[in-house]
Amino acid sequence: MLRGIYTGAAGMVVQQNRLDAISNNLANVDTTGYKRDTAIQKAFPELLLRRMSDDGVTQFPFRNPPVGSYDVAPVVGSVGTGVETNEYYTAFSQGALKQTENSFDLALEGEGFFAVQTPYGERYTRNGSFLIGPEGMLVTKQGYPVLGENGPVNLKLNNFIVDEDGVIYENADFADDPQRLVSMRENEWRNTVEVDRLRIVDVRETRYLEKQGDSLWNTTRDSGEAAVIDATRPKVLQGFLETSNVNPVNEMVQMIEVNRAYEANQRVIQAQDQSTQRLINDVMRLR
């Protein structure tokens, strides 16, 4: 009978973990480049029920003297032993693109990550809300330098553009009119300087990337090392940001489901507790 209490308690723990993931998703619904998490469950191994009254012991192998035996009592059913949280799965689906008309905002359309340099090593992000640091480097809002293929991206001028391949250009002729750079004609590219190309990377198994906070990701042994994308690079869009891929309506519906499942497991435990109480107080007293 206590097995029912353990099963109900395991179900409550799983629903609590689901609620934690949903709450974190809702808290980051406005976080640029955020990817939603889902708590994945799995069942504990089932126990097989055998008919114990049968003489099902057979010697193995068939030799004299025997060196072992095995039980061939027939299986009459199985019993579940509860559920547990297996992993937190991150959905890397594309978020909606929001136009900001800010030249420092970049978004990736397709698979891949921006590479940034942190005190703990190279990290990866989908949050393209960048700015110019005091040293003239392109940095994240936390101050981490954004990496190009030749190292940190240095921008001496504020008038720059980034093409769809991630190549960064500057033009000294338009220092007083940065917007002119965006719409310059073909014959005005003569004084344009190619600064660098953004280091856009991907890994073998994105589902095994590890969240580090501040919209940053780190590679693991299962994800594989990050490598620069050359053949199928994602499109880089300047003046856009990728929004979170969280759907708040779906998350609220799942939160209601979690609360009801949690209450159902509570009632299971209460029923098991009442049955145990009757067994101890009433049945045992009659004996």
Side-chain angles (χ1 to χ4, degrees), residues 38-264:
T38 303
I40 305 299
Q41 299 85 40
K42 71 174 182 179
F44 286 119
E46 291 187 342
L47 298 178
L48 297 180
L49 300 180
R50 296 179 180 272
R51 189 177 302 152
M52 302 304 295
S53 59
D54 288 355
D55 183 12
V57 177
T58 301
Q59 301 296 332
F60 177 82
F62 304 101
R63 53 187 299 183
N64 193 12
V67 295
S69 64
Y70 62 95
D71 188 4
V72 293
V75 176
V76 295
S78 62
V79 60
T81 56
V83 67
E84 66 172 339
T85 299
N86 187 36
E87 66 170 326
Y88 288 96
Y89 173 77
T90 302
F92 284 93
S93 58
Q94 176 81 43
L97 299 177
K98 179 179 67 175
Q99 187 171 8
T100 64
E101 297 183 356
N102 182 351
S103 60
F104 296 104
D105 290 339
L106 303 176
L108 295 177
E109 187 177 16
E111 298 180 356
F113 299 86
F114 297 109
V116 299
Q117 187 65 45
T118 73
Y120 315 103
E122 187 173 291
R123 296 294 184 268
Y124 313 99
T125 183
R126 295 279 297 193
N127 187 344
S129 180
F130 302 137
L131 48 87
I132 297 293
E135 297 82 8
M137 289 190 299
L138 189 65
V139 298
T140 66
K141 289 189 174 180
Q142 293 76 29
Y144 302 139
V146 180
L147 295 178
E149 295 184 351
N150 297 319
V153 177
N154 289 283
L155 297 173
K156 299 179 182 179
L157 306 172
N158 289 339
N159 53 334
F160 70 96
I161 61 171
V162 182
D163 68 10
E164 294 183 352
D165 194 44
V167 181
I168 305 171
Y169 299 95
E170 287 181 331
N171 192 312
D173 292 342
F174 303 145
D176 298 327
D177 188 8
Q179 292 300 321
R180 179 77 180 282
L181 185 63
V182 178
S183 58
M184 62 185 177
R185 295 184 296 272
E186 183 177 354
N187 62 349
E188 293 175 326
W189 280 81
R190 58 183 178 274
N191 293 329
T192 299
V193 179
E194 180 178 329
V195 179
D196 201 349
R197 188 170 78 152
L198 290 171
R199 177 176 165 83
I200 301 176
V201 303
D202 203 0
V203 296
R204 183 180 68 252
E205 293 288 347
T206 54
R207 65 172 296 180
Y208 296 116
L209 286 172
E210 180 182 8
K211 286 188 175 181
Q212 298 280 285
D214 294 330
S215 299
L216 299 178
W217 301 83
N218 189 20
T219 56
T220 63
R221 182 181 63 179
D222 295 327
S223 70
E225 295 298 324
V228 175
I229 304 174
D230 288 322
T232 57
R233 287 173 66 87
K235 184 186 295 185
V236 180
L237 301 177
Q238 188 175 18
F240 289 82
L241 287 177
E242 180 186 5
T243 62
S244 166
N245 66 353
V246 176
N247 186 324
V249 176
N250 291 342
E251 298 298 321
M252 292 299 296
V253 171
Q254 291 186 40
M255 182 176 288
I256 295 173
E257 293 177 354
V258 167
N259 288 331
R260 291 179 176 175
Y262 190 90
E263 292 172 355

